[in-house]
Amino acid sequence: MRRRIDVRRLTQYGVVVVVAVTLNFLLPRLMPGNPLVLIAGVDVGLLSPEDRAEIVARVGLDAPLWKQYLRYWGDIVTGDFGYSFRAKRPIVDMIWSRLPWTLLITGLSLIVSAVVGVILGAISAWRRRTKTDLGMLTGMISIESLPSFWLGMVLISIFAVQWGLLPSFGAVTQASDLVGWAHAWDIISHAILPVITLSILATPGVYMTMRYSMLETLGEDYIRTARAKGAGERRVLFGHVARNTIAPVVTVLAIRLGFAFGGTVIVETVFTYPGLGRLVFEAVSGRDYPVMQAAFLVFTAAVLAANLVADLLYPLIDPRTRTS
Amino acid sequence: MSLVHPVVHRRRRSSRKWRLVALVAALSLVAFACGDGGEDTSAEEVTAAQAQAAAAQSDAAAAQSEAVSAQAEAEAAADALAQAQADLEAAQAAAAAAMEGDEVSQSALADAQAALEEAEQRATESAEASQEALAAAESALTEAEQMLDEAMMEQEAAMGPVRVRAAVTGDEASLNPYTYISGFPGWNLLMLQYDSLMQLDADGIPQPWLASSISVNEDLTEYSVTLVEGVTWHDGEPLTADDVAFSVNYYINNVEASRFARDLRGVEDLVVTDDHNATFVLAGPNAGFELGALADVPIIPRHIWEGVELPSEHDFGDTNIGTGPYKLVKYVEGQSYRFQANPDYFRGAPAVDELVVIVFADDAGAQAAIRAYAVDVIFERIPPEQIDLLDAEDSLDVILGPEFTTQMINYDASKRPFDDVAVRQAINLAMNRQDIVDTVFLGAATIGSPGWIHPGHPSYNADIGTVYDPAAANALLDAGGYLDSDGDGVREYDGQPMSFEIITNASDSLRLRIAELTVEMLAAIGIETSVAAVETATWEQAVWPGFDVNNGRNYDIAMWGWSAPVQADPLRLPQLVASVPAGGFLNLTGYVNAEMDTLSAVLGTEPDPAERNGILGRMQEIIAEDLPFVLLLYPDGAYVYDSTVYSDWEFIAGQGIVSKLSLLPPSARP
């Protein structure tokens, strides 16, 4: 019984992967525009048609679409995505050098927003319809509507330009030759503003989920039963409410973990942070097909993996979803 | 770090709702701690050394003032000496007079003698004093000089080498001749490492550089160059004519880097006479060869590039070297470039010892960084609205100069109604260029000449006027039969309303604003337009499909602009306005004019510079009359830098400040 379900689930994931990979391949090519300017440089218009044909052939863009598609699958299997049209560097290297930075800021902000969001959401729900609840709710809704670039720029102008406390750009001080602790501080100080920005923006989502999930749980009959049988507040909260509340929050967080790999284009741009989001943004604006394909694949894999994690965690948290 | 503890402690005691606040506060404190940690020690050292230098300098000043007073004393002594001598003479005269007198006046004689003695004594005294004072003054002066020298050395040591951090807004890949990405500032940064045979001076005119002399034969088909002796590559190998020949052949045979292959198109042979002499033999006369090729193509070392098959994907590691004033020592993909000065540079050691180029994601980030003094110069033009703001900052300065970039209106001149020259002229007359310069560029732009060439360029035809006259434009359209027959305020052509879309790229906000003003200005002459702001690649694809004019065009009206090199060399004008088969491979509007084709064919082959200018003058007249496009304005170049770090930036007309000239001492510039 169990095995059959696993096979079904595996097939589902397989289908999703094939569809996603196909979209990753097709979407860049369906966009108007042409990567030639990136491959050949700014003076592409000055090339003779023969020169142009030679360049297109060298990067394999002259092949029929189905051949290019098969080659993409070949790249996926071998893990070699070739060279970027733009940077003319191996794409795998580019992604590996960017991924840690992205994960540093998105991961930290995920943790911060999860902790803050869950705690505030719980407080809000526990004291529902009090001033505390209403105040927090209003505050969170206001925060959620902040544009991220604006928040980032405000933080830069206060902390970097006015007070000169924190660096406004980059992941490390360039050409600084710092080592050891100084290097670690350098990385931390560069990450603070992006992490604060991302955390502030991500908290309301977690808070809302937590608050509504908990409100729902608090309205359940078994909570009334627990109270009726004389359980203390503490026991009701931790023994009955918490466990039943946390499942939707875990789903939200797991999906966010998947998206964390995608980086955040806007925040990475505002802070000139060398993450994956900016790499993809640059690739999209220049029609750098191979980079787009490889980076989208990373996102696809991360989101699917996060889903899988959520799927696997669910039965552990919520016995009702366990298969009999 | 101890500061953090009380906060953490308080956090534990405080009620839950303050946890977030406390967390943010703690983070700020951590930030404070790290923000301060980094540069303090070196900053303190510099401050201390600076203080020392200042002290030495004030000592020297004191010594100098001592010397001055000693000198004054000496002068006073000399005066006294002169006085004494005068007294002596007077006494002697008195004595003589006394001796002559018959009635010997003993007392007078005695008086005179006493006076004489006194004067003699005084003279001796003052001579001695004066000599002493002079000696004192001299020694004080020497001492002062010594102190000043010491102070200067100390100060120099304290300041350390000059280090400039520059901001750019795009990565330029590994920055070799086959990988740099943008024409500006990519090529400019590339040329910090490499040299070309000629180099533009501040006026944008090519001057001898790696080649110490260039001679051209009468019919412009042979360019002979003599290399400067003693030039070495960064690895110490000597540069020879062989490297030049290798470079030229390499670029021609590897078309990947379009720019240099295109520059050298037409080179039939390169004859190497000896180690330092070579002659370019061209297929036909080319008056633009110096500007287009000799001052553009980086010379690469044969001993490294020989055998490199696919240069764009070749890993050069630390052998990406040239003969230039800087060596690229580190590249962090998407983040920074670190250049170190080449102290053995053949024109003299650079004035800036280290240049760190930091890659920003956008203008706003770079501007915030220079306001926070985290970078020292921005290697991109700053937008007009930022010029006064940044200039007002304490140590920031803005340098302005002519740029040869353009903002223009393109239309599809091959189809109705833009194939009618009257419609094109009406659009030209309807454009209030001054208004655009004032409102969009806040004055930081030069009004466009309808004849294309910048008024600051030597080839500009000054007879061409820029006229704004909507009444005349309306009259032209009326006369051409473009009437508003249904009274809706929009004229008609061939039974359809004159209603068009103006396509532009949304990423250029200034261009977008020009487009919006254009809509209003065209509405005043009964042409209805709307702005379609699209993403850059989509816009390029519509205006210049596949970057090949043979593919035609998919737009009615488009905002457009060319980069500086297209205008900096007026000999490239045929590329813009000749018909497509006649070599107009930048002719994006489908414009055709037989006289223009004829002039285009002879422009580059005319050996006499005055004749060439005559042809260019006529071409500008035709453009202004025929309007293959409507040139609106030339934005002025504006660059911001921190003058306390380095201020010797050189603005090359049409090119801006990003060049090796800016970083070399003035004595090494052409």
Side-chain angles (χ1 to χ4, degrees):
Chain A
M1 194 69 186
R2 269 196 75 110
R3 177 155 303 166
R4 220 168 64 202
I5 285 164
D6 279 352
V7 167
R8 206 176 68 196
R9 187 165 284 170
L10 217 62
T11 322
Q12 276 174 0
Y13 273 98
V15 171
V16 171
V17 166
V18 171
V19 170
V21 165
T22 310
L23 283 177
N24 290 350
F25 172 79
L26 280 180
L27 283 179
R29 285 168 175 76
L30 289 175
M31 295 163 78
N34 191 317
L36 200 62
V37 69
L38 269 191
I39 308 167
V42 275
D43 289 327
V44 61
L46 312 181
L47 284 177
S48 69
E50 299 81 58
D51 295 348
R52 217 182 296 249
E54 186 182 321
I55 289 166
V56 168
R58 190 174 61 73
V59 296
L61 283 176
D62 59 334
L65 216 55
W66 65 270
K67 265 194 185 162
Q68 295 185 40
Y69 181 62
L70 284 187
R71 193 177 314 133
Y72 181 37
W73 273 107
D75 291 348
I76 294 170
V77 173
T78 56
D80 175 10
F81 291 91
Y83 279 70
S84 154
F85 288 165
R86 178 189 162 84
K88 310 202 166 81
R89 296 187 67 217
I91 291 164
V92 175
D93 290 3
M94 291 172 78
I95 289 180
W96 275 120
S97 73
R98 301 253 185 166
L99 195 55
W101 294 123
T102 282
L103 289 181
L104 175 69
I105 57 167
T106 53
L108 278 178
S109 65
L110 185 66
I111 294 169
V112 172
S113 63
V115 172
V116 176
V118 164
I119 292 171
L120 296 185
I123 294 171
S124 226
W126 196 246
R127 305 193 179 169
R128 59 194 173 280
R129 289 187 208 134
T130 63
K131 271 188 190 159
T132 317
D133 178 34
L134 278 176
M136 278 190 192
L137 195 59
T138 320
M140 287 295 171
I141 291 169
S142 320
I143 287 173
E144 197 162 37
S145 56
L146 291 179
S148 52
F149 71 91
W150 179 83
L151 181 61
M153 272 154 60
V154 166
L155 290 177
I156 286 179
S157 75
I158 295 172
F159 287 93
V161 178
Q162 293 294 323
W163 295 349
L165 293 178
L166 289 168
S168 67
F169 63 90
V172 290
T173 303
Q174 295 303 318
S176 63
D177 300 326
L178 295 173
V179 286
W181 284 112
H183 183 56
W185 278 126
D186 193 43
I187 290 174
I188 292 169
S189 67
H190 279 84
I192 289 175
L193 287 183
V195 168
I196 288 179
T197 310
L198 286 173
S199 304
I200 290 178
L201 294 168
T203 303
V206 181
Y207 164 87
M208 299 288 179
T209 315
M210 180 66 192
R211 182 174 174 275
Y212 288 117
S213 172
M214 188 152 152
L215 281 181
E216 209 168 286
T217 314
L218 285 173
E220 295 282 350
D221 290 342
Y222 57 80
I223 301 293
R224 210 173 334 136
T225 314
R227 287 217 169 100
K229 75 179 182 189
E233 288 294 275
R234 210 163 267 270
R235 185 163 161 69
V236 172
L237 181 58
F238 291 107
H240 300 271
V241 180
R243 232 181 138 174
N244 287 303
T245 300
I246 212 74
V249 179
V250 167
T251 312
V252 167
L253 292 178
I255 288 170
R256 286 194 178 198
L257 181 67
F259 282 108
F261 282 78
T264 49
V265 177
I266 293 170
V267 170
E268 283 174 17
T269 300
V270 170
F271 293 101
T272 303
Y273 210 78
L276 263 189
R278 242 180 87 209
L279 182 72
V280 172
F281 177 71
E282 283 162 13
V284 169
S285 29
R287 305 291 185 265
D288 198 339
Y289 298 160
V291 172
M292 284 158 91
Q293 283 170 185
F296 290 163
L297 189 75
V298 172
F299 302 166
T300 310
V303 171
L304 286 178
N307 255 304
L308 189 64
V309 169
D311 273 355
L312 295 176
L313 278 180
Y314 241 73
L316 299 182
I317 300 167
D318 191 343
R320 286 168 299 187
T321 58
R322 276 175 214 164
T323 46
S324 49
Chain B
M1 283 314 302
S2 61
L3 273 174
V4 176
H5 290 294
V7 176
V8 173
H9 188 57
R10 207 185 74 201
R11 206 184 104 191
R12 280 201 197 107
R13 282 188 305 175
S14 62
S15 69
R16 285 185 203 146
K17 68 180 168 188
W18 288 105
R19 280 187 190 176
L20 178 63
V21 178
L23 188 73
V24 172
L27 279 173
S28 315
L29 282 169
V30 171
F32 189 84
C34 10
D36 269 10
E39 289 167 24
D40 255 11
T41 38
S42 62
E44 263 165 37
E45 273 168 30
V46 171
T47 318
Q50 259 173 330
Q52 255 179 323
Q57 228 162 358
S58 77
D59 281 354
Q64 215 161 8
S65 76
E66 236 174 85
V68 170
S69 71
Q71 218 157 9
E73 259 175 64
E75 268 164 36
D79 279 353
L81 183 64
Q83 180 64 43
Q85 258 160 350
D87 282 355
L88 184 66
E89 271 163 33
Q92 271 172 335
M99 289 219 269
E100 268 169 33
D102 42 1
E103 273 148 56
V104 180
S105 164
Q106 288 294 335
S107 74
L109 189 64
D111 277 357
Q113 256 166 347
L116 186 68
E117 270 161 37
E118 201 183 319
E120 265 172 348
Q121 200 184 341
R122 235 197 292 170
T124 325
E125 268 173 31
S126 51
E128 271 169 23
S130 136
Q131 241 152 13
E132 255 171 54
L134 218 62
E138 258 167 44
S139 81
L141 211 64
T142 327
E143 206 178 320
E145 270 170 0
Q146 252 173 15
M147 277 183 164
L148 208 63
D149 274 356
E150 272 168 39
M152 298 256 276
M153 274 164 63
E154 264 174 62
Q155 192 154 23
E156 224 162 79
M159 299 299 284
V162 182
R163 185 171 186 269
V164 172
R165 296 160 302 170
V168 295
T169 52
D171 187 55
E172 296 291 349
S174 60
L175 212 57
N176 78 44
Y178 280 85
T179 56
Y180 77 93
I181 292 168
S182 72
F184 176 90
W187 175 82
N188 306 62
L189 294 176
L190 173 78
M191 296 309 278
L192 297 178
Q193 299 172 82
Y194 293 88
D195 283 311
S196 43
L197 294 167
M198 300 184 84
Q199 164 71 42
L200 298 187
D201 63 11
D203 297 323
I205 310 292
Q207 300 294 344
W209 199 251
L210 275 185
S212 56
S213 72
I214 293 102
S215 57
V216 193
N217 71 347
E218 206 154 278
D219 55 359
L220 303 176
T221 53
E222 285 180 19
Y223 285 77
S224 303
V225 296
T226 304
L227 296 180
V228 174
E229 306 223 355
V231 178
T232 56
W233 299 101
H234 293 153
D235 62 3
E237 296 284 321
L239 165 86
T240 67
D242 210 29
D243 290 309
V244 176
F246 174 80
S247 306
V248 170
N249 288 322
Y250 196 91
Y251 291 127
I252 292 175
N253 297 327
N254 291 273
V255 288
E256 277 191 278
S258 53
R259 176 167 174 155
F260 307 126
R262 183 259 302 158
D263 286 349
L264 295 164
R265 197 168 282 166
V267 175
E268 250 183 5
D269 196 11
L270 195 119
V271 183
V272 176
T273 357
D274 59 42
D275 266 5
H276 292 94
N277 286 285
T279 302
F280 290 82
V281 182
L282 310 186
N286 182 358
F289 193 66
E290 290 190 353
L291 188 64
L294 297 182
D296 198 66
V297 175
I299 303 300
I300 49 176
R302 176 179 190 154
H303 63 279
I304 285 166
W305 285 69
E306 210 162 28
V308 173
E309 290 276 325
L310 196 57
S312 65
E313 289 177 8
H314 183 81
D315 184 8
F316 282 92
D318 57 1
T319 64
N320 177 15
I321 57 167
T323 53
Y326 288 88
K327 188 175 179 336
L328 177 63
V329 291
K330 192 165 192 212
Y331 162 52
V332 186
E333 195 263 319
Q335 298 186 53
S336 69
Y337 298 87
R338 188 176 191 173
F339 294 96
Q340 236 144 40
N342 167 12
D344 305 320
Y345 190 51
F346 78 102
R347 301 280 301 200
V352 171
D353 302 276
E354 188 177 70
L355 176 71
V356 179
V357 177
I358 299 165
V359 180
F360 280 80
D362 64 354
D363 297 7
Q367 285 154 16
I370 201 166
R371 282 160 163 275
Y373 301 105
V375 297
D376 311 312
V377 62
I378 300 181
F379 277 176
E380 303 275 353
R381 278 181 294 278
I382 52 171
E385 69 273 12
Q386 289 287 333
I387 293 177
D388 288 345
L389 277 175
L390 289 170
D391 208 10
E393 295 275 322
D394 266 350
S395 59
L396 300 185
D397 274 330
V398 173
I399 182 169
L400 291 159
E403 291 254 320
F404 294 154
T405 56
T406 46
Q407 293 282 3
M408 55 208 277
I409 298 176
N410 277 6
Y411 27 56
D412 188 345
S414 70
K415 72 175 191 199
R416 297 284 293 147
F418 307 106
D419 61 345
D420 183 352
V421 70
V423 173
R424 306 202 294 260
Q425 285 171 340
I427 293 175
N428 180 48
L429 285 169
M431 298 311 297
N432 187 348
R433 293 170 166 86
Q434 186 67 55
D435 186 35
I436 299 174
V437 168
D438 291 343
T439 56
V440 179
F441 285 81
L442 306 172
T446 305
I447 286 185
S449 158
W452 169 257
I453 291 179
H454 194 291
H457 196 282
S459 302
Y460 168 65
N461 181 347
D463 295 337
I464 292 173
T466 306
V467 185
Y468 165 57
D469 191 346
N474 273 316
L476 264 178
L477 290 173
D478 288 343
Y482 302 95
L483 302 171
D484 176 16
S485 54
D486 54 7
D488 64 350
V490 180
R491 294 170 185 275
E492 283 106 43
Y493 73 100
D494 308 342
Q496 314 169 47
M498 293 184 93
S499 176
F500 309 101
E501 199 171 62
I502 301 181
I503 189 170
T504 188
N505 58 327
S507 58
D508 186 338
S509 57
L510 295 173
R511 185 172 285 153
L512 191 55
R513 274 175 251 166
I514 300 176
E516 280 156 3
L517 286 179
T518 302
V519 170
E520 285 173 29
M521 290 170 192
L522 291 181
I525 61 164
I527 298 178
E528 185 186 58
T529 49
S530 60
V531 176
V534 299
E535 179 237 18
T536 305
T538 310
W539 165 72
E540 281 172 346
Q541 193 65 15
V543 180
W544 196 4
F547 303 103
D548 183 351
V549 286
N550 291 301
N551 297 338
R553 57 208 76 79
N554 305 311
Y555 69 97
D556 293 319
I557 304 179
M559 304 308 297
W560 191 254
W562 289 106
S563 58
V566 177
Q567 188 175 203
D569 181 3
L571 297 179
R572 289 179 70 163
L573 192 46
Q575 300 171 359
L576 285 169
V577 291
S579 65
V580 173
F585 47 84
L586 303 183
N587 181 350
L588 303 187
T589 59
Y591 167 74
V592 181
N593 176 311
E595 188 190 352
M596 195 66 101
D597 283 0
T598 316
L599 292 173
S600 295
V602 293
L603 178 67
T605 59
E606 171 55 54
D608 178 19
E611 284 286 318
R612 279 204 301 270
N613 247 9
I615 298 173
L616 277 172
R618 175 67 192 137
M619 288 175 85
Q620 290 175 68
E621 269 172 34
I622 301 176
I623 295 172
E625 176 73 25
D626 237 10
L627 299 153
F629 39 73
V630 177
L631 208 158
L632 298 175
L633 53 90
Y634 319 96
D636 289 342
Y639 296 85
V640 61
Y641 62 92
D642 185 336
S643 57
T644 59
V645 176
Y646 184 72
S647 58
D648 234 348
W649 301 101
E650 176 100 55
F651 199 111
I652 299 182
Q655 288 251 336
I657 64 163
V658 190
S659 80
K660 61 185 78 160
L661 297 198
S662 281
L663 305 169
L664 290 173
S667 60
R669 299 177 190 178

